[in-house]
Amino acid sequence: MAGLKAIALNGLIALSGVSALTVQKPLSHTEQESQSPITLVGKKPLVDSESLQDAISGKNLLARAKHLFKIAKLSQDTYSRPTRVIGSPGHAGTINYIKKHLEALDHYYTFDLQPFEAVSGTIHEFRLILDRNYSSSASAMGLTPPTKDKEPVSGDLVLIENIGCEAKDFPKSVKGNIAFIKRGGCPFGQKSAHAGKAGAVAAVVYNYEDSPVQGTLGTPVPDHVATFGISGEEAQPYLKKLKNGEKVDATAYIDSEVQIIITNNIIAQTKGGDPDNCVMLGGHSDSVGEGPGINDDGSGSLSVLEVAIHLTNYTVNNCVRFAWWSAEEEGLLGSDHYVNVLSPEENKKIRMFMDYDMLASPNFAYQVYDARDSSNPAGSEALRDLYIDWYTSHGLNYTLIPFDGRSDYDGFIRHGIPAGGIATGAEGIKTKSEAIAFGGEDGVPYDVCYHSLCDNVQNVNLTAWELNTKLVAHSVATYAASLKGFPVRTLKNDISLIAHPQVQADSYDKKAKYHGHKLYI
Ligand SMILES: *[C@@H]1O[C@H](CO)[C@@H](O)[C@H](O)[C@H]1NC(C)=O
Ligand SMILES: *[C@@H]1O[C@H](CO)[C@@H](O)[C@H](O)[C@H]1NC(C)=O
Ligand SMILES: *[C@@H]1O[C@H](CO)[C@@H](O)[C@H](O)[C@H]1NC(C)=O
Ligand SMILES: *[C@@H]1O[C@H](CO)[C@@H](O)[C@H](O)[C@H]1NC(C)=O
Ligand SMILES: [Zn+2]
């Protein structure tokens, strides 16, 4: 986790990414509290949850989804499929679509594009042969470099001591050979860099569980070497041989590329409301390269846009800041960048971040991130309970899901900002009891088209989407009107969090095995 600490420290000294936003001086709290919809004639009323929710309609959302699919089709010529992956015409179109709406609302919002460099990896082809057998569970790690000259390399499979998190775990014999490393304890990228530094021509990380490892190396560093993940089950016979002192030969081949793409976050902030106390929410504007990403995360990003549009009919007491993150699918790069460059003063103004990623899965469950104050910044639990209370008061079931780093809340939590959110499920399989609680089919993924070509307009459940968008509206209206009782941010806490991450962030660190949709540890 050394890399993450370094990022956190950079965030402390870097300038704010939103300092360019001009915000009007807010009315004082007493002035605002004397406002009410009844006494104001010709003025906008203070936002209230019920009316903001009433403004949300599934019909509008569906129309936006259809439009977004058309935008994804702009990539057809260059990508031979509809996609909104970063760098594609479909993603540029998505950014323009959001921007166009915000431009029309510039009486109410200031907004900015926040450019940053995103690394984007493409795996063209890979193969791993162990003991003359093609590995069936092998996958090439995200952002892996290719093997030398994009050609197969061969050597002995060399078992690495311990878990390969330290240079001294790598014996001299790994030079010119292929490192065989157990998963766990530190990010895959760290293991790969140690292997590369020790002269290995490739590395294979085997799981400590039976299942395969779909991982990413994270931000490329020069020492990274072509790296695979394989299942614990498949590793067993080779481990046995190696531990018996027998030789296992291996051939590794990866043809991949890592590009740097300049892409943009979009950040919009209400001109009204206390700019020192901001309620922040967001979804991600990009999709994976495999498909148009209408549920992931067309749904969340369009819900956020729809709420931003309707909010303009109201005044707010606290500032509301909307984000459309880019490069989420490359490993949360946009949201990471955003929090990394916030000054401590700007960081402190964000009272919470609400993550809205995949709100309309076809075989949905109403999922609430189980964000608790014991392992996350104070306030995360109050936010979790706001969602729970809403589902409960509407007679609906909900399920708590791990808050483990899979979406854009991760950077906020790591920078001391309370966060939470809702989702409707990705590649996970709906259980029998969930099928009773939410309808739909058990034994089938929540989103059977997750990260694939068929994540199109037919891949959203409009009932779930409309309902969850009303909940997004409720979350915004509630906190935009009042943060009474919501834990206050103090700079002192943030600094102590960064200086002693083991004290407060430790349990989150331990639970967070993901960074985006891929495992990184
Ligand atoms: C390799 O494949 C052969 C044939 O399928 C099999 O008998 C053998 O056990 C495999 N080797 C290992 C180490 O799994
Ligand atoms: C704002 O409120 C008016 C009056 O109720 C309504 O006609 C209009 O559609 C609303 N606009 C938005 C963007 O919600
Ligand atoms: C909630 O789940 C229970 C089973 O746990 C089920 O009987 C009930 O119908 C569900 N409620 C709704 C609104 O689906
Ligand atoms: C969406 O989910 C609801 C509730 O489970 C179901 O009645 C409806 O048929 C679903 N709609 C679609 C388009 O799948
Ligand atoms: Zn997503």
Side-chain angles (χ1 to χ4, degrees), residues 414-489:
R414 291 181 190 279
H415 284 73
I417 301 167
I422 53 170
T424 49
E427 81 282 18
I429 308 290
K430 188 177 256 186
T431 62
K432 275 215 164 66
S433 57
E434 285 177 330
I436 296 165
F438 303 108
E441 259 187 279
D442 66 82
V444 174
Y446 303 108
D447 180 355
V448 70
C449 292
Y450 177 64
H451 285 183
S452 55
L453 185 59
C454 61
D455 187 4
N456 55 28
V457 179
Q458 281 71 51
N459 192 45
V460 295
N461 183 293
L462 204 54
T463 308
W465 194 9
E466 181 182 74
L467 200 117
N468 276 334
T469 308
K470 286 178 186 284
L471 178 47
V472 174
H474 173 66
S475 68
V476 168
T478 302
Y479 295 124
S482 172
L483 286 162
K484 197 158 171 274
F486 196 86
V488 173
R489 298 278 322 270

Side-chain angles (χ1 to χ4, degrees), residues 170-237:
F170 291 74
K172 283 213 165 60
S173 59
V174 83
K175 192 162 196 281
N177 288 310
I178 296 172
F180 199 43
I181 317 166
K182 189 172 182 174
R183 176 186 168 200
C186 63
F188 301 130
Q190 193 173 329
K191 294 173 196 259
S192 180
H194 282 312
K197 204 156 191 185
V201 292
V204 178
V205 177
Y206 62 91
N207 207 348
Y208 48 69
E209 294 166 336
D210 279 351
S211 52
V213 183
Q214 303 284 346
T216 177
L217 296 186
T219 309
V221 298
D223 281 332
H224 279 170
V225 71
T227 302
F228 299 82
I230 70 166
S231 73
E233 191 181 14
E234 193 181 9
Q236 285 317 313

Side-chain angles (χ1 to χ4, degrees), residues 130-134 234 236-238 241 248:
L130 299 171
D131 217 7
R132 302 202 174 82
N133 293 346
Y134 279 103
E234 193 181 9
Q236 285 317 313
Y238 307 114
K241 272 189 145 180
V248 175

